[in-house]
Amino acid sequence: MTQAQAKSLFAEKLAAEKGKGTYRELIRLEGANSAVVSIGGRNMINLCSNNYLGLIDHPALKKAAAEALEKYGVGAGSARNIIGNTRLYEELEQLIAEFKNEEAAVVSQSGYNCNLGAIPAIMGEGDLIFSDELNHASIIDGMRQSRAEKKIYRHLDMSSLEEALKERRGSCRRAMIVTDTVFSMDGDIAPLPDMVGLARKYEAMVYADDAHGTGILGRGGRGTVDHFGLTGQVDFTLGTLSKAIPAVGAYLSGSSEMRDWVVRNARPILFSTSLPPAALGAAAAAIRLLMESTQLVDRLWENTIYFKEKLRELGFSTGRSKTPIVPVILGAEEKAVRFSQELQKKGVLASSITFPVVPRGQARVRCIVTAGHTEDQLDQCLDAFRTIGQELGV
Ligand SMILES: Cc1ncc(COP(=O)(O)O)c(C=O)c1O
């Protein structure tokens, strides 16, 4: 194929996406992804960010990142198992284990990478993974990579999970139940205590992806496992260092044997350069802040409760949300897209989420509340919701 032919191939693919209306323009930020963002010289209130605790431009994190950068340089220079393992890495893993009250933790380059590497390091041919139908794409990719069989159960439905376990547990070597803890499209929470109960009954392991629970749920943001009082009872807990803890990276916490195995067998850890020192320094500083005070987590929940209550008073449905992820369910796809566009005109950024990401007829505008929002900013968003709701007859 010539370069010109390859170019026209992509031009055709892009034109097809534009024709279907699925082509998305990328938003270009001109500063930090904080509560208010600058786009094209205009300030907008940001309801799209995973910067749950507002820590993305916190002075203590910037200082720790700068110090790590100064001492270790800009990159790791190698995969972890060659010479990309620094004191910073090991100190961060120990700090995470202490924070989570677990024996150990292993850090990888992102939440996506962690699922892609850890699931195949734990499960393989002859094993069976029981997975919620709405689990994150990185779990799906990790399962594929593992060559284990998978059995999908209905979203959060414990009778569907038990039925699957009853039917299939006898036919596999090892079994593992894998779930998002907080689902990023609905903000609902997996019933971990029931899952742990079923895991015991059917001799399965539990793998909880706490990407959107870490720093949000549990005492001082210790996560969903802590929220349910299950510390020590979930075999593998993934937490990200890219959302509430706003650098980049992720970890898997659990037993020290698990840590020693995964660090030596997860392919993204073995075959990809380890994290830059600045990210490790910033992540450690964020965890130290969480260990010192619950102030930011408390503030996040005050904002969340305030915003949701006011939205409901205005007559909007927030679906199954139990967390700072607040879907405003609008139904028709066009309505959700139009609503989000109108919000932008009024200086509020909130994504429209439509089919196939969510089922048809359940299109929504998804809002993410953070500790960084002021009450005045949330009121401005609520005003915009009220006016647009009236205009569009929602
Ligand atoms: C449940 C879940 N797992 C993993 C990830 C990936 O995390 P990261 O952005 O650190 O790769 C996400 C990201 O949105 C997620 O929602």
Side-chain angles (χ1 to χ4, degrees):
M1 191 182 264
T2 64
Q3 267 188 333
Q5 282 168 327
K7 189 173 156 71
S8 69
L9 174 71
F10 289 114
E12 266 171 44
K13 283 174 180 282
L14 289 166
E17 272 202 353
K18 285 180 186 164
K20 280 190 287 180
T22 51
Y23 180 89
R24 275 194 185 244
E25 290 294 345
L26 299 182
I27 294 171
R28 190 190 304 127
L29 296 189
E30 283 144 17
N33 188 352
S34 45
V36 174
V37 285
S38 168
I39 298 169
R42 184 172 170 224
N43 282 346
M44 314 215 16
I45 302 172
N46 181 8
L47 295 178
C48 294
S49 176
N50 294 320
N51 174 27
Y52 290 104
L53 297 173
L55 284 172
I56 220 159
D57 47 3
H58 192 286
L61 272 66
K62 291 206 268 190
K63 182 165 177 278
E67 282 169 6
L69 183 141
E70 194 54 45
K71 179 162 182 192
Y72 290 92
V74 296
S78 163
R80 186 103 187 255
N81 57 323
I82 308 291
I83 196 173
N85 183 43
T86 53
R87 182 185 285 272
L88 275 179
Y89 247 108
E90 296 195 353
E91 282 174 357
L92 176 60
E93 288 179 342
Q94 274 165 19
L95 190 65
I96 292 168
E98 196 186 321
F99 176 59
K100 302 288 287 184
N101 256 313
E102 297 268 21
E103 254 179 52
V106 51
V107 166
S108 71
Q109 299 95 328
S110 73
Y112 184 87
N113 260 336
C114 190
N115 281 329
L116 205 67
I119 295 174
I122 298 165
M123 301 295 274
E125 238 171 305
D127 298 335
L128 184 53
I129 304 175
F130 297 84
S131 173
D132 187 291
E133 64 181 329
L134 297 188
N135 274 344
H136 190 258
S138 54
I139 292 179
I140 296 168
D141 292 358
M143 289 193 297
R144 271 192 200 133
Q145 199 71 13
S146 76
R147 304 214 183 114
E149 256 196 275
K150 67 177 179 205
K151 175 80 186 160
I152 309 296
Y153 60 88
R154 284 193 299 277
H155 181 51
L156 304 187
D157 184 338
M158 291 302 98
S159 52
S160 167
L161 172 59
E162 178 151 25
E163 224 170 84
L165 282 160
K166 219 183 259 170
E167 185 194 318
R168 301 295 306 278
R169 179 62 187 101
S171 68
C172 61
R173 184 178 53 164
R174 276 190 293 267
M176 182 164 85
I177 303 167
V178 58
T179 187
D180 285 23
T181 53
V182 175
F183 289 80
S184 58
M185 293 302 142
D186 286 285
D188 47 356
I189 305 178
L192 279 186
D194 296 340
M195 289 178 157
V196 168
L198 287 174
R200 288 224 184 97
K201 186 168 168 191
Y202 292 94
E203 291 185 21
M205 299 181 283
V206 178
Y207 183 111
D209 179 339
D210 205 26
H212 295 275
T214 303
I216 295 142
L217 288 165
R219 289 166 305 139
R222 279 168 178 73
T224 311
V225 172
D226 181 273
H227 166 79
F228 284 119
L230 290 171
T231 302
Q233 298 181 58
V234 170
D235 303 279
F236 315 100
T237 305
L238 179 153
T240 39
L241 304 173
S242 58
K243 300 184 196 303
I245 295 164
V248 65
Y251 59 84
L252 202 64
S253 61
S255 69
S256 51
E257 290 78 4
M258 174 284 290
R259 185 254 173 212
D260 288 350
W261 175 259
V262 169
V263 79
R264 289 170 177 81
N265 287 277
R267 290 170 70 83
I269 296 179
L270 297 183
F271 297 112
S272 184
T273 298
S274 47
L275 282 166
L280 299 172
I287 293 170
R288 281 195 196 97
L289 281 182
L290 288 180
M291 288 169 87
E292 276 162 20
S293 159
T294 64
Q295 201 183 339
L296 285 171
V297 180
D298 296 343
R299 175 88 190 131
L300 170 65
W301 281 97
E302 279 161 24
N303 279 350
T304 300
I305 291 163
Y306 179 78
F307 188 67
K308 273 193 198 168
E309 274 178 9
K310 295 280 173 194
L311 272 177
R312 287 179 191 143
E313 278 169 25
L314 289 174
F316 288 103
S317 161
T318 57
R320 300 189 291 258
S321 169
K322 292 194 170 65
T323 62
I325 298 173
V326 185
V328 177
I329 314 287
L330 296 165
E333 329 290 336
E334 314 76 61
K335 200 170 258 187
V337 172
R338 173 88 194 279
F339 208 110
S340 166
Q341 288 166 345
E342 293 300 319
L343 282 169
Q344 274 202 36
K345 287 183 198 159
K346 292 189 186 303
V348 176
L349 268 185
S351 321
S352 58
I353 315 270
T354 56
F355 181 81
V357 180
V358 292
R360 257 190 224 293
Q362 287 187 34
R364 67 209 47 197
V365 167
R366 186 187 58 173
C367 305
I368 300 181
V369 180
T370 74
H373 289 109
T374 63
E375 194 171 311
D376 183 48
Q377 287 162 354
L378 294 178
D379 284 340
Q380 287 178 51
C381 297
L382 291 160
D383 264 352
F385 267 93
R386 182 181 37 237
T387 318
I388 299 165
Q390 282 163 358
E391 281 165 14
L392 299 186
V394 177

